């Protein structure tokens, strides 16, 4: 009897903090209910379009037949991966994808940081907002519009760029079908379209820098460059590292829509990447399992890069993304 009473008392004491925690959580949810309501569409979106479709990657290990359905198609293990890695097109796709991805990291990734730093130095608010609006606008153009604009500018027949080349005594260059100019054209379009939009996060990070640090540095005789190196860049270093890690997660994503619009028979050797290959194999040739295997390989590479870079960032004293 004594043991039962002791157990009951102990259970009562143990459950009381739990009830308090439950009531506190309920109060927090009730207080912030509208914030959770605003969060709901985003949660539903990620569940429906990001998490549930993950089951579809299983067809990479099946010989998927639409008429048989998902469950009745035969399992084939790593057959599609073996086929993909043994095909001669693999190394061409890997090379083209990695080169464009490196171009993105080397040439595009630093540009939003540079533009944000430059805008942060503009003291006239009207001029600053005008320039911000000007560089943001291309982000809202679709890739069809962007590629169309570049076609008009760089076409051999009446293109502004070629007309200028002829006027200065040069010869017309067919930029649009040249394999030598393909990657340069791709990066030029990306830089023009997305650089301004990428500055938003960095400008927000710069807005959080304590102005008192700049005042103190001026008293110590520091100029603009020293303030930039010793105050501004260290203040946004964590933001840069986090965005760099996230960017590596999309390392193999080179932009399907843009590249498929720029591809033609003359530049396919340097322009065909994993994204366009998945489209041609999966949609045009109905090789659903094979194209899923290619896409899964691309995603696994991105995951490995994120995990490795995040671990490296933590070893250097940064927070990382988790």
């Amino acid at each position: 009897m004594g043991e039962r009473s002791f157990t009951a008392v102990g259970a009562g004491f143990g459950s009381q903090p739990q009830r308090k925690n439950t009531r506190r959580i309920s109060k927090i949810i009730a207080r912030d209910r509208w914030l959770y309501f605003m969060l709901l569409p985003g949660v539903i979106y990620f569940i429906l379009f990001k998490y549930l479709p993950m089951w579809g990657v299983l067809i990479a290990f099946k010989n998927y037949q639409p008429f048989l359905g998902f469950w009745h198609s035969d399992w084939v293990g790593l057959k599609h991966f073996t086929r993909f890695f043994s095909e001669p097109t693999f190394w061409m796709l890997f090379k083209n994808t990695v080169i464009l991805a490196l171009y993105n990291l080397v040439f595009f990734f630093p540009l939003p940081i540079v533009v944000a730093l430059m805008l942060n130095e503009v003291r006239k608010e009207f001029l600053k907002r005008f320039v911000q609006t000007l560089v943001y606008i291309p982000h809202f153009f679709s890739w069809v519009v962007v590629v169309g604009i570049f076609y008009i500018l760089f076409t051999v027949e009446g293109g502004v760029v070629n007309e200028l080349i002829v006027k200065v005594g040069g010869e017309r260059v067919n930029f649009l079908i040249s394999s030598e100019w393909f990657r340069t054209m791709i990066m030029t379009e990306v830089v023009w379209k997305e650089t301004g939009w990428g500055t938003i996060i960095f400008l927000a990070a710069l807005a959080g820098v304590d102005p008192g640090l700049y005042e103190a540095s001026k008293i110590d005789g520091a100029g603009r460059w020293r303030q930039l190196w010793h105050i501004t860049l260290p203040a946004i270093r964590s933001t840069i590292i986090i965005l760099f890690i996230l960017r590596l997660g999309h390392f193999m994503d080179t932009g399907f829509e843009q590249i498929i619009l720029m591809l033609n028979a003359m530049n396919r050797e340097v322009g065909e990447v994993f994204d366009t290959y998945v489209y041609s194999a999966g949609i045009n040739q109905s090789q659903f399992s094979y194209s899923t295997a290619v896409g899964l390989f691309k995603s696994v590479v991105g995951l490995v890069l994120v995990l490795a870079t995040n671990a490296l960032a933590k070893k250097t004293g940064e927070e990382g993304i988790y």
Side-chain angles (χ1 to χ4, degrees), residues 80-306:
H80 301 299
F81 294 94
T82 304
R83 172 192 164 188
F84 176 55
F85 295 141
S86 61
E87 286 191 354
T89 54
F90 170 76
W91 290 111
M92 180 195 74
L93 296 171
F94 186 80
K95 175 186 174 182
N96 294 341
T97 304
V98 169
I99 289 176
L100 283 176
L102 290 174
Y103 276 24
N104 269 284
L105 284 181
V106 174
F107 298 108
F108 171 67
F109 181 78
L111 281 178
I113 304 172
V114 174
V115 174
L117 293 173
M118 293 172 67
L119 287 173
N120 190 56
E121 295 297 322
V122 177
R123 295 294 175 254
K124 293 185 178 180
E125 196 65 27
F126 171 77
L127 179 61
K128 183 177 181 178
R129 290 182 179 180
F130 175 75
V131 175
Q132 280 181 287
T133 304
L134 200 63
V135 296
Y136 289 169
I137 287 175
H139 170 77
F140 299 99
F141 296 160
S142 69
W143 278 115
V144 175
V145 174
V146 172
V147 172
I149 292 172
F150 272 72
Y151 262 80
I152 293 172
L153 291 175
F154 290 94
T155 183
V156 175
E157 299 178 0
V160 176
V161 175
N162 272 300
E163 292 298 325
L164 290 174
I165 292 174
V166 171
K167 285 187 177 181
V168 297
E171 296 183 358
R172 297 179 186 275
V173 179
N174 203 334
F175 297 98
L176 301 176
I177 67 171
S178 172
S179 58
E180 296 177 356
W181 284 96
F182 177 81
R183 291 166 183 153
T184 304
M185 294 288 292
I186 291 293
M187 288 312 306
T188 304
E189 292 172 359
V190 171
V191 166
W192 181 70
K193 185 178 186 296
E194 300 295 349
T195 297
W197 188 253
T199 62
I200 292 177
I201 296 176
F202 296 110
L203 284 172
L206 289 170
V209 181
D210 185 5
L213 296 175
Y214 294 105
E215 296 297 331
S217 65
K218 287 180 181 178
I219 296 172
D220 292 336
R224 286 287 182 88
W225 286 107
R226 285 190 175 275
Q227 291 176 8
L228 175 68
W229 186 256
H230 294 288
I231 299 175
T232 307
L233 286 177
I236 64 173
R237 182 177 59 190
S238 60
T239 303
I240 295 173
I241 291 175
I242 288 173
L243 290 179
F244 180 74
I245 294 172
L246 294 175
R247 179 63 192 169
L248 285 178
H250 298 278
F251 183 77
M252 306 294 278
D253 296 332
T254 50
F256 162 75
E257 187 177 357
Q258 177 196 15
I259 293 179
I260 199 70
L261 290 169
M262 294 291 293
L263 272 182
N264 54 61
M266 302 298 293
N267 59 28
R268 189 171 296 276
E269 190 68 23
V270 298
E272 188 84 71
V273 294
F274 287 127
D275 290 328
T276 55
Y277 186 70
V278 167
Y279 170 77
S280 61
I283 303 300
N284 294 342
Q285 302 173 22
S286 300
Q287 301 182 64
F288 302 111
S289 293
Y290 177 66
S291 60
T292 303
V294 177
L296 182 58
F297 163 76
K298 186 170 69 88
S299 300
V300 169
V301 171
L303 176 63
V304 171
L305 287 173
V306 167

